[in-house]
Amino acid sequence: MSKILFTTTMLIGLFVQLNAQSGYDEILDFKEGLAAVSSNGKWGYIDQTGKLAIPLKYDKAYYFLDGMAVVANNDKYGHINKQGVEITPLKYDWVYRFNEGTAWVNMGDKYGLVNREGKEITPIKYMLYGDFLENVEDVLFSEGLVVVHVGDWDTGTAAYIDTTGKEVLTTSYHRGSQFHEGLAAVSKDGYYGFIDRTGKEVIPIKYDEAWGFSEGTSIVKLDGKYGLVDTSGKELVSPQYDRIGYFSEGLVTVRKDGKYGYMNRKGQLVIPIKYDEAHAFSNGEASVKENGKYFTIYKP
């Protein structure tokens, strides 16, 4: 019975695809029960029976995600819902996917947030950090807040917005990052430290670089060397390593004087620094190289 059902489902899917393609110039993949289709330069959506569910009236149309799709006319973008109702007005240079009930929209180089009713819950006045601009959709809320930049790049500062669009934390720092485990890395005059959700500086602004916390530890860099700090700011390992990798299964590779070993989250060296190469642990095993030969070691 299951084989017959599977075959029948495949045939129905093939029929729908062929039926849709026969009347349209292009058809995108089905997402959430609808597929974008085009004819004579205009885009709309069909349902899984091949019926036109949303009229062919857009210059561009993209797939549905979480009940919303990005569409455009005259190079202006907005959102529609699955009933074809235009929720976010088609007036922006670009609009992005929704996350936690909000979506980024932009005009020129300035960004703001709209809610699922298409209402602007922030002014379109913020800039987003350069590290993220390859994919603005990666600028997501973390622990209920998202970091933005207020003003120009040279003199502006980092701020934090909550999911209602309220600017709940303004800072005097030149750059900011997302919150992880209650702390966010911030920088001023080229140096990094950490603040809490009240804006209090809990780890001094003294490091050359700093990364977000994970399981109570953060990697920091000072004078070209790497170390570990905990959420209180205590240096579990003073900056002394030439490199610290990323934790996997509770261990991380460290390099010193051209050799590698492994350290735990307490900063304890659990596997000696003696290998020419060392890779992350997976399923309790890691590949290393010593004296020109590769072999496997096991997690202690």
Side-chain angles (χ1 to χ4, degrees):
M1 177 65 72
S2 61
K3 184 176 180 180
I4 294 173
L5 181 60
F6 177 74
T7 303
T8 302
T9 302
M10 286 183 64
L11 290 173
I12 291 172
L14 181 60
F15 171 79
V16 170
Q17 185 181 32
L18 291 173
N19 180 62
Q21 285 180 330
S22 65
Y24 299 106
D25 301 327
E26 191 173 354
I27 178 172
L28 303 185
D29 292 338
F30 278 94
K31 300 287 186 180
E32 299 188 0
L34 296 174
V37 295
S38 70
S39 179
N40 297 319
K42 289 295 182 180
W43 287 82
Y45 293 84
I46 59 170
D47 63 22
Q48 289 178 318
T49 70
K51 179 182 177 182
L52 190 64
I54 298 174
L56 297 160
K57 63 177 183 177
Y58 297 107
D59 296 339
K60 297 177 183 177
Y62 300 83
Y63 63 82
F64 275 89
L65 180 66
D66 195 22
M68 296 282 200
V70 176
V71 294
N73 271 332
N74 301 315
D75 290 325
K76 294 297 179 181
Y77 293 79
H79 297 105
I80 62 172
N81 65 17
K82 293 172 75 172
Q83 289 71 50
V85 177
E86 292 178 7
I87 302 299
T88 304
L90 275 66
K91 67 177 185 178
Y92 299 100
D93 293 339
W94 184 252
V95 299
Y96 297 83
R97 302 293 179 182
F98 280 87
N99 166 251
E100 294 198 22
T102 65
W104 291 110
V105 297
N106 83 283
M107 291 181 173
D109 64 350
K110 297 295 191 292
Y111 293 79
L113 289 170
V114 296
N115 62 18
R116 290 184 66 86
E117 287 72 50
K119 178 183 177 181
E120 289 182 9
I121 60 173
T122 72
I124 312 300
K125 70 172 188 177
Y126 298 108
M127 299 182 77
L128 300 180
Y129 289 105
D131 290 347
F132 299 129
L133 286 182
E134 288 185 6
N135 190 355
V136 171
E137 288 172 345
D138 288 340
V139 187
L140 304 176
F141 283 89
S142 176
E143 300 183 4
L145 298 176
V146 65
V147 62
V148 294
H149 189 83
V150 182
D152 63 48
W153 290 123
D154 295 329
T155 61
T157 56
Y160 291 84
I161 296 172
D162 68 14
T163 54
T164 70
K166 182 180 178 182
E167 197 174 296
V168 296
L169 178 59
T170 57
T171 79
S172 61
Y173 300 102
H174 299 149
R175 297 289 185 269
S177 65
Q178 303 291 57
F179 275 91
H180 296 284
E181 300 185 5
L183 298 177
V186 292
S187 72
K188 195 170 190 177
D189 300 324
Y191 293 98
Y192 290 78
F194 289 86
I195 60 172
D196 65 17
R197 291 173 66 93
T198 70
K200 179 183 177 182
E201 189 176 300
V202 295
I203 298 177
I205 309 296
K206 68 176 187 178
Y207 295 103
D208 298 330
E209 292 185 60
W211 287 263
F213 274 88
S214 175
E215 296 185 33
T217 60
S218 169
I219 299 170
V220 293
K221 183 181 180 182
L222 182 63
D223 297 330
K225 300 294 184 180
Y226 295 84
L228 288 181
V229 296
D230 66 15
T231 53
S232 72
K234 178 183 177 182
E235 288 187 351
L236 300 173
V237 176
S238 62
Q240 60 184 272
Y241 292 105
D242 300 327
R243 177 185 172 189
I244 296 179
Y246 293 97
F247 279 94
S248 177
E249 300 186 2
L251 297 179
V252 65
T253 58
V254 294
R255 185 180 71 192
K256 197 170 187 178
D257 299 326
K259 298 290 185 180
Y260 291 83
Y262 292 83
M263 181 172 63
N264 64 19
R265 286 192 178 275
K266 295 180 180 180
Q268 299 167 332
L269 198 64
V270 296
I271 298 176
I273 298 176
K274 64 177 184 176
Y275 300 109
D276 300 320
E277 290 183 25
H279 301 274
F281 274 91
S282 177
N283 298 319
E285 300 178 354
S287 173
V288 295
K289 181 182 180 182
E290 188 178 20
N291 298 324
K293 294 182 179 181
Y294 288 94
F295 56 95
T296 299
I297 60 173
Y298 299 91
K299 188 176 174 182

